[in-house]
């Protein structure tokens, strides 16, 4: 690791030693903050590109804009952004949202950002220095509030940061531009690989649950749009021939369950542990909650997006949801795959009058989608096949995802070490 010739104590614990010709200054002495804002006198038809917290990441900067006119824009659309400005999110939950603005044509940022404008500092170096994890952690530690801890922009620019000589700033920015571009390319390639693997996974599932796994089987038209051609010995039956709606209410010893697309049906205690979050367990209206047995399926508020969830544990779930019980001839593991397949989800969506986030799907929607009736031993074989095939793909995706995380950590480490002078680039 290349080092500068001589160092001195910065006097700031999180920075440590810095090269002797570097200085430590509060941001407010070499930048300005939130210099320009849209006022109520702005013309209603003024059109701009809006940046909110959800459209910015530490790695990619601004990933997308939203187009608005002033009269239709969110009330938080206020900060005017210019070329060279650096926007930094002020809410701790999103503190890794940092972007350097290279195109200032009608860009407006949410008031959830501080717009930092360089005065006596290279704008590219400024962006990197504000994205280094030492600075991010310092800002985070000074954030206040319960639900969404945040920091005032005036407090943020009062934090001391590293300021090398101008010539060094440009060298650092050039070096990090090259280095991060190479890392970002590697990350992008791996993300594309994951996308291809996920598409392969989806294709395997859709084919197996609607066509079977024997390529020599004679096919026939199912007469159902979402199924298409199916093996000739399969039948198509109404959904209520295979599943009934359970009306059984909560039992005294039932644990409270959560329906999650990410984890399936799990206890609320497990969900809180996995998400590192806190849920207030219900203590009223529990008499109306519904009892759930292993191998029951749940129609939840998100089923129109991600399909039905199978439960492997007993418990109870909120009365808003529908509990489906499999009848004789149903192999739950097969229908676990079918109910999560994109073609089935699309068919379920078409039973609703409109699709929106959180739409309430009912048993009446479920019974509108015909289902394949397959010999039970064949259902089991298909389920076992999909368990094997998807496990291999999921293992590869997991490995590639871990590689991506390591690349992101490396990228962040390089930025932090270089902008604080721990590693020399000249």
């Amino acid at each position: 690791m290349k080092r500068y010739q001589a160092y001195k104590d910065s006097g700031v614990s999180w920075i440590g030693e810095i090269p002797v010709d570097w200085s430590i200054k509060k941001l407010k002495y070499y930048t300005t903050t939130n210099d320009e804002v849209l006022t109520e006198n702005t013309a209603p038809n003024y059109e701009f590109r809006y940046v909110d917290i959800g459209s910015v990441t530490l790695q990619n900067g601004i990933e997308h804009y939203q187009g608005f006119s002033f009269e239709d824009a969110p009330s938080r659309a206020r900060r005017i952004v210019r070329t060279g400005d650096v926007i930094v999110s002020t809410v701790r939950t999103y503190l890794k949202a940092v972007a350097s603005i290279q195109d200032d044509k009608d860009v407006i940022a949410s008031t959830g950002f501080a717009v930092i404008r360089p005065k006596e500092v290279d704008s590219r170096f400024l962006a990197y220095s504000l994205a280094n994890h030492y600075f991010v952690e310092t800002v985070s530690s000074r954030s206040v509030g319960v639900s969404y801890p945040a920091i005032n922009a005036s407090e943020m620019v009062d934090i001391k940061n590293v300021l090398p000589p101008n010539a060094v700033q440009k060298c650092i920015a050039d070096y990090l531009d090259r280095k991060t571009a190479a890392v970002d390319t590697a990350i992008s390639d791996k993300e594309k690989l994951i996308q291809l693997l996920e598409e392969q996974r989806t294709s395997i599932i859709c084919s197996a649950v609607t066509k079977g796994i024997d390529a020599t089987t004679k096919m026939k038209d199912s007469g159902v749009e979402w199924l298409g051609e199916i093996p000739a010995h399969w039948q198509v039956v109404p959904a209520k021939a295979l599943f009934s709606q359970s009306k059984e209410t909560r039992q005294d010893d039932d644990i409270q369950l959560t329906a999650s697309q990410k984890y399936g049906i799990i206890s609320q205690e497990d969900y809180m542990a996995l998400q590192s979050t806190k849920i207030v367990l219900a203590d009223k209206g529990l008499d109306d909650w519904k009892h759930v047995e292993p191998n029951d399926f749940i129609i939840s508020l998100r089923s129109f997006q991600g399909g039905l969830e199978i439960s492997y544990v007993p418990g109870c779930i909120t009365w808003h949801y529908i509990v489906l019980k499999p009848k004789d001839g149903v192999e739950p593991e097969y229908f676990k795959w079918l109910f999560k397949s994109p073609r089935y989800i699309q068919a379920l969506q078409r039973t609703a009058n409109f699709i929106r986030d959180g739409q309430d799907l009912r048993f009446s929607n479920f019974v509108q989608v015909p289902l394949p009736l397959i010999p039970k031993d064949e259902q089991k074989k298909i389920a076992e096949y999909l368990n094997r095939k998807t496990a291999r793909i999921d293992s590869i995706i997991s490995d590639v995802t871990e590689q991506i995380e390591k690349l992101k950590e490396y990228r962040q480490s390089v930025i932090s070490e270089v902008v604080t002078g721990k590693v020399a680039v000249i």
Side-chain angles (χ1 to χ4, degrees), residues 19-23 122 125 163-172:
V20 291
D21 57 343
W22 290 26
S23 60
D122 182 89
F125 172 81
L163 192 63
N166 287 340
V168 179
Q169 293 175 29
K170 289 180 170 56
C171 288
I172 288 175

Side-chain angles (χ1 to χ4, degrees), residues 74-267:
S75 60
R76 293 175 63 84
R78 284 291 183 268
R79 309 252 192 257
I80 297 175
V81 187
R82 306 292 183 190
T83 298
D85 289 350
V86 180
I87 57 174
V88 184
S89 57
T90 55
V91 180
R92 189 168 74 190
T93 311
Y94 308 104
L95 269 173
K96 292 187 176 180
V98 179
S100 177
I101 307 300
Q102 303 302 318
D103 173 12
D104 68 352
K105 184 178 179 182
D106 300 319
V107 176
I108 305 297
S110 160
T111 53
F113 288 104
V115 178
I116 312 295
R117 184 161 297 168
K119 289 195 304 184
E120 301 171 4
V121 60
D122 182 89
S123 64
R124 290 178 302 147
F125 172 81
L126 176 64
Y128 284 122
S129 72
L130 298 182
N132 90 76
H133 72 266
Y134 301 112
F135 182 81
V136 170
E137 289 171 3
T138 301
V139 172
S140 181
S141 68
R142 299 192 185 187
S143 300
V144 296
V146 178
S147 298
Y148 295 96
I151 186 171
N152 289 328
S154 58
E155 174 79 8
M156 180 184 292
V157 297
D158 206 41
I159 296 174
K160 292 179 179 179
N161 207 354
V162 181
L163 192 63
N166 287 340
V168 179
Q169 293 175 29
K170 289 180 170 56
C171 288
I172 288 175
D174 289 342
Y175 174 84
L176 289 176
D177 281 350
R178 295 191 301 271
K179 199 74 173 178
T180 57
V183 176
D184 291 344
T185 297
I187 291 173
S188 178
D189 289 344
K190 292 183 182 299
E191 289 174 339
K192 290 175 183 175
L193 174 59
I194 288 177
Q195 183 178 354
L196 290 173
L197 288 166
E198 289 176 339
E199 289 173 357
Q200 180 187 17
R201 187 181 191 275
T202 297
S203 176
I204 289 171
I205 293 170
C206 285
S207 176
V209 297
T210 61
K211 314 294 180 194
I213 55 177
D214 183 355
T216 65
T217 300
K218 184 179 179 181
M219 306 296 284
K220 68 178 181 182
D221 182 7
S222 68
V224 176
E225 181 182 356
W226 81 269
L227 284 171
E229 284 197 332
I230 60 174
H233 63 286
W234 289 16
Q235 300 178 46
V236 177
V237 297
K240 61 185 177 182
L242 299 178
F243 292 88
S244 61
Q245 181 179 1
S246 173
K247 299 291 187 178
E248 187 176 356
T249 56
R250 168 185 171 271
Q251 297 179 2
D252 291 340
D253 58 349
D254 276 349
I255 60 172
Q256 294 181 25
L257 303 177
T258 289
S260 162
Q261 287 184 32
K262 186 175 182 180
Y263 306 113
I265 306 298
I266 59 174
S267 72

